[in-house]
Amino acid sequence: MGPRLVSVSISFGGMLIFAMMLGLVSEAISEKLDSLRKGRSEVVEQNHTLILGWSDKLGSLLNQLAIANESLGGGIVVVMAERDKEEMELDIAKMEFDFRGTSVICRSGSPLILADLKKVSVSKARAIVVLADDGNADQSDARALRTVLSLTGVKEGLRGHIVVELSDLDNEVLVKLVGGQLVETVVAHDVIGRLMIQCARQPGLAQIWEDILGFENCEFYIKRWPQLDGMQFEDVLISFPDAIPCGVKVASRGGKIILNPEDSYVLQEGDEVLVIAEDDDTYAPGALPMVWRGSLPGDFIVPKLMEKILLCGWRRDMEDMIMVLDAFLAPGSELWMFNEVVESERERKLIDGGLDLSRLVNITLVHREGNAVIRRHLESLPLESFDSILILADESVEDSAIQADSRSLATLLLIRDIQAKRLPYREAMVTRGQRGSFSRGSWIGEMQQASDRSVIISEILDPRTKNLLSMSKISDYVLSNELVSMALAMVAEDRQINDVLEELFAEEGNELHIRLAELYLHEGEELSFYEIILRARLKREIIIGYRLANAERAVINPPNKNERRRWSVKDVFVVISEKE
């Protein structure tokens, strides 16, 4: 009896110990799995792109990075945000695009905690993108500033650069002060504002910018070509069959990028060439072709005419937009401001923002109070007489992308309907030839002189709204936050491109223009694209593409540049040139 009792006790004891061990092991395994599932484990990757934060721009940004990495067989993107990992993965899975071999890894954590930054291998990332939060601009920028401070405190140091998306231009100086040489900034609000102004004045420019920003079509690349050393820029221009040189990164000036340099500039050892090309591995210099330059049809200057522009809504950076417009427009132009801000309050806001109203030289401000979604208020405006109308995402609703877009869409539909009912007046205006400097038969002329509409640019915050508008054909010119995502992706891939974009967006230096073909050739003249490039150099311009009179889209960096074709004066060219 005794031995049997001992053996039963030992058996029960063994089973109990085994059960306890099994429980401990299974608990350890489930804890580890839970940790993996919730994104607490460390990322072992290196040379990856790290995105800190979560916003409605993330989808477009991931898409652009996937396209950029496609030629390498895909890359690795790590996203860290203060959200549940499973939720993030579910939201990314819902995004309707092909990742093209790129892996997206999600981690849950805060960029303000060094342990969380270490978890995503921050010191081994080749680029770090800090996304702005959706919502209040100042709070978002304050968080971005703290994130940059946190990143500069990483003990191991950073291998890559930091690209910070900011919401307000006034906060850029602080972030650059804290981040120093590590930081590149993209101010979303400012980029869209400047693009709206450029596209309002030059119909068709929105499509050009969509093609150049991002990686789907042609974009900017900078590379060193030792075989071009000692060659003049004039010859470099026609040395690339599959790319268009736009500038030089000058080694002797500390790597400064000079857009549209003099023809006589000779490439020195260490200089790199800035080009527009399909991909970084699709172009190389070839043998120098024999190209006949010819002469321009006549050295006539297109006069800058007075313009009448309407701004619907109020933005945070209204004073910056007014200053840019004053630099761009011809003397005597009118800028009508229609919004719900009381007139006396407007002046105070503009002065607080740094605008000196007495220093405006080209534009006169005309103030009107009203709600842009109430038909009666809009009908009080001379909507048939404006050259261009900019519908802004109003400051009062900008924290909600859906609400802001709904308001912009309602304003757009109302303006179009009111204009359509006032057709006779506009037709009379067109007959009198008051619709700008482009000829009646030209592609741009037809856009500007279309009797039922002036040029309307809508600012859209949510890319999904943009897709709806594009499909419905309600508005031809829509600028959305998607363009900012494209710019962020380009600067993340190559930080040098930020200098190029900043100059093209600015009111000084070089910018993109759409020019009529009659400035460069005669009707029916047969010329190769290379010949037109060299003719444009007589005006110190670089032609990067064209749009035929009967075509729907422009062609940037066209193929077969040495092949001759017959041109029409109704065609237009896309050029980079100094601001007029």
Side-chain angles (χ1 to χ4, degrees), residues 128-143:
I128 302 155
V129 182
V130 180
L131 286 180
D133 293 342
D134 295 329
N136 184 278
D138 289 325
Q139 286 177 14
S140 170
D141 287 353
R143 186 171 179 78

Side-chain angles (χ1 to χ4, degrees), residues 470-489:
S470 302
M471 285 188 287
S472 64
K473 304 286 184 190
I474 297 168
S475 175
D476 299 318
Y477 320 109
V478 181
L479 285 168
S480 76
N481 274 334
E482 198 170 9
L483 290 174
V484 178
S485 305
M486 291 175 175
L488 285 168

Side-chain angles (χ1 to χ4, degrees), residues 237-308:
L237 263 175
I238 54 172
S239 293
F240 291 87
D242 301 302
I244 296 179
C246 302
V248 179
K249 183 182 175 186
V250 184
S252 61
R253 293 183 61 179
K256 181 178 170 60
I257 296 170
I258 298 176
L259 267 173
N260 188 15
E262 296 277 357
D263 277 348
S264 57
Y265 178 81
V266 177
L267 262 68
Q268 308 295 320
E269 189 179 343
D271 284 358
E272 297 175 45
V273 181
L274 169 75
V275 304
I276 287 180
E278 184 70 36
D279 209 338
D280 60 351
D281 57 358
T282 60
Y283 73 99
L288 194 64
M290 289 292 290
V291 180
W292 174 70
R293 181 190 283 261
S295 57
L296 293 166
D299 193 18
F300 60 89
I301 298 167
V302 179
K304 279 182 83 173
L305 298 181
M306 292 184 295
E307 291 177 56
K308 193 172 175 180

Side-chain angles (χ1 to χ4, degrees), residues 78-130:
V78 179
V79 180
M80 185 173 81
E82 291 179 64
R83 295 186 65 201
D84 186 70
K85 176 178 178 280
E86 290 169 301
E87 276 182 28
M88 289 193 276
E89 287 173 342
L90 200 62
D91 285 347
I92 289 169
K94 287 178 189 170
M95 292 172 184
E96 295 173 4
F97 57 80
D98 180 7
F99 281 101
R100 305 162 195 256
T102 290
S103 304
V104 180
I105 299 165
C106 296
R107 287 292 179 268
S108 187
S110 168
L112 307 178
I113 299 170
L114 288 173
D116 285 349
L117 288 174
K118 191 178 178 185
K119 186 169 68 181
V120 288
S121 298
V122 67
S123 58
K124 294 174 184 172
R126 68 188 177 99
I128 302 155
V129 182
V130 180

Side-chain angles (χ1 to χ4, degrees), residues 192 195-196 199 204-207 209-210 391 405 408-409 412 416 455-483:
I192 292 294
L195 283 177
M196 284 184 81
C199 298
L205 204 58
Q207 179 241 312
W209 271 116
E210 280 187 357
I391 301 172
D405 288 355
S408 298
L409 184 56
L412 171 64
R416 283 275 189 250
V455 176
I456 300 184
I457 303 285
S458 314
E459 178 184 8
I460 296 298
L461 302 183
D462 193 325
R464 289 170 297 185
T465 315
K466 183 212 162 197
N467 296 337
L468 286 171
L469 276 171
S470 302
M471 285 188 287
S472 64
K473 304 286 184 190
I474 297 168
S475 175
D476 299 318
Y477 320 109
V478 181
L479 285 168
S480 76
N481 274 334
E482 198 170 9
L483 290 174

